[in-house]
């Protein structure tokens, strides 16, 4: 039993699960806009998420304890290097405009992790900005890059989906911020730190209602898709309402991050 827990923890700690979530959101975009499966874009997002998240989580730790890294961290570093090679391979198969935009998102990730100016904090530690930068990156990679790479015009329905995607990612991060409240540096000024847990849940709930309402703006509105998005919004709201500082890491790192995966699977089966 212990070996299965170690494998599962490695799956989470190495960001494979969050990579699957990103992959699922890309596939959702492709399916909603009837884009044939684009392996290059899908796998670029999957491997890029693994590289980006591991870079953000472990960069400082690896630089400080480079000679004394534990075996799991060394394995994650090796996995990240292999993922980086895969990112380079699939990057070369993307459209030129997609490559340029993906580099712009790469700059955001670098700013988020490394100090942009000498003797200054990185963007991850800029008070109150973290949640917006992460949400924008996810919207860019999972909505705009697949659309642009498929040469689909940026219609109103694209921006409607982008708005919904931003709301969903924003609320998912709110759940993480509530659970991590006792660990986060007060300087970060996360949403729960600024307005409290109860008000954070109210804001998140309001945003999820807006997420559902935006569906009515879609010209290709269908009852089945509406019910599916309503289910996603309600599930996310339940995770938000029951979030607290005592929840285990699996509550957020596995179950909350599984929401996009379940959304994609339901869309494949019932969409």
């Amino acid at each position: 039993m212990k070996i299965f827990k170690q494998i599962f923890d490695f799956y989470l700690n190495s960001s494979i699960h969050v990579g699957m979530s990103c992959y699922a959101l890309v596939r959702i975009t492709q399916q909603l806009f009837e884009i044939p499966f684009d392996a290059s874009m899908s796998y670029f997002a999957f491997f890029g998420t693994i590289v980006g998240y591991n870079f953000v989580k472990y960069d400082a730790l690896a630089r400080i304890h480079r000679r004394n890294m534990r075996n799991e961290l060394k394995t994650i570093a090796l996995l990240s290097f292999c993922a980086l090679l895969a990112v380079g391979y699939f990057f070369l198969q993307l459209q030129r405009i997609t490559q340029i935009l993906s580099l712009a998102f790469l700059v955001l990730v670098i700013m988020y992790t490394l100090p942009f100016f000498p003797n200054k904090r990185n963007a991850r530690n800029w008070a109150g900005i973290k949640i917006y930068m992460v949400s924008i990156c996810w919207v860019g990679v999972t909505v705009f890059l697949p659309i642009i790479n498929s040469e689909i015009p940026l219609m109103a329905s694209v921006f409607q989906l982008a708005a919904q995607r931003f709301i969903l990612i924003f609320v998912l991060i709110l759940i993480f911020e509530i659970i991590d409240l006792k660990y986060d540096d007060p300087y970060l000024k996360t949403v729960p730190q600024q307005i409290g847990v109860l008000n954070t849940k109210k804001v998140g709930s309001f945003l999820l209602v807006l997420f559902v309402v935006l569906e009515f703006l879609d010209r290709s509105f269908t009852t089945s898709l509406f019910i599916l998005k309503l289910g996603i919004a309600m599930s996310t709201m339940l995770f938000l309402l029951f979030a607290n500082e005592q929840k285990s890491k699996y509550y957020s790192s596995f179950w909350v991050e599984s929401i996009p995966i379940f959304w994609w699977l339901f869309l494949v089966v019932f969409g």
Side-chain angles (χ1 to χ4, degrees):
M1 196 67 180
K2 184 178 179 181
I3 185 66
F4 289 111
K5 183 179 184 303
Q6 290 175 335
I7 293 173
F8 185 65
D9 285 342
F10 178 79
Y11 169 74
L12 296 179
N13 294 336
S14 61
S15 304
I16 296 175
H17 189 60
V18 70
M20 285 297 302
S21 296
C22 187
Y23 174 87
L25 289 174
V26 170
R27 295 302 309 276
I28 289 170
T29 300
Q30 291 172 345
Q31 187 159 345
L32 290 177
F33 286 88
E34 300 181 345
I35 301 171
F37 175 55
D38 185 345
S40 298
M41 184 65 250
S42 302
Y43 294 134
F44 173 79
F46 171 70
F47 288 111
T49 301
I50 292 176
V51 173
Y53 266 72
N54 286 344
F55 181 57
V56 168
K57 289 192 293 185
Y58 303 115
D59 168 69
L61 186 63
R63 282 187 285 117
I64 295 172
H65 302 287
R66 183 165 42 193
R67 296 183 179 179
N68 299 306
M69 288 194 302
R70 52 194 172 91
N71 290 332
E72 184 187 40
L73 191 55
K74 291 179 180 178
T75 307
I76 291 174
L78 177 60
L79 172 69
S80 300
F81 177 72
C82 294
L84 181 61
L85 295 178
V87 169
Y89 172 76
F90 291 113
F91 174 82
L92 295 176
Q93 300 182 45
L94 300 176
Q95 301 279 2
R96 180 59 59 84
I97 182 62
T98 312
Q99 292 177 340
I100 294 172
L101 289 175
S102 64
L103 289 175
F105 291 118
L106 173 62
V107 170
L108 283 179
V109 172
I110 293 175
M111 287 177 59
Y112 183 76
T113 309
L114 301 177
F116 192 61
F117 300 106
N119 303 318
K120 297 292 184 181
R121 291 171 175 257
N122 54 30
R124 188 182 190 185
N125 293 311
W126 292 352
I129 200 172
K130 167 187 171 182
I131 191 169
Y132 301 100
M133 288 190 68
V134 175
S135 299
I136 289 171
C137 284
W138 273 78
V139 171
V141 172
T142 67
V143 176
F144 288 107
L145 291 189
I147 293 293
I148 291 172
N149 199 59
S150 300
E151 300 180 333
I152 293 177
L154 295 179
M155 304 171 289
S157 55
V158 175
F159 292 97
Q160 177 251 344
L161 177 62
Q164 286 183 312
R165 190 69 50 84
F166 182 91
I167 289 171
L168 179 65
I169 299 301
F170 192 93
V171 175
L172 293 181
I173 298 174
L174 288 181
I175 298 174
F176 275 83
E177 290 189 344
I178 291 173
I179 294 174
D180 293 339
L181 188 57
K182 60 183 176 183
Y183 302 109
D184 284 338
D185 186 335
Y187 181 85
L188 288 175
K189 292 187 179 179
T190 63
V191 176
Q193 288 174 340
Q194 294 186 78
I195 66 175
V197 172
L198 180 59
N199 286 332
T200 298
K201 292 181 178 182
K202 290 180 180 178
V203 170
S205 299
F206 170 77
L207 289 174
L208 288 171
V209 171
L210 183 59
F211 173 89
V212 174
V213 171
L214 284 171
E215 187 64 17
F216 291 104
L217 299 180
D218 191 349
R219 293 183 179 180
S220 57
F221 176 89
T222 63
T223 303
S224 59
L225 281 179
F226 174 76
I227 292 174
L228 179 55
K229 288 189 178 181
L230 178 62
I232 293 299
M234 292 178 66
S235 301
T236 305
M237 187 175 294
L238 286 175
F239 276 109
L240 173 67
L241 295 178
F242 284 100
N244 59 60
E245 298 173 61
Q246 283 69 49
K247 294 293 184 183
S248 74
K249 67 175 183 177
Y250 302 112
Y251 184 87
S252 55
S253 297
F254 179 72
W255 291 111
V256 173
E257 286 185 350
S258 294
I259 290 175
I261 300 174
F262 285 121
W263 182 3
W264 173 50
L265 292 177
F266 278 115
L267 187 61
V268 169
V269 175
F270 302 108

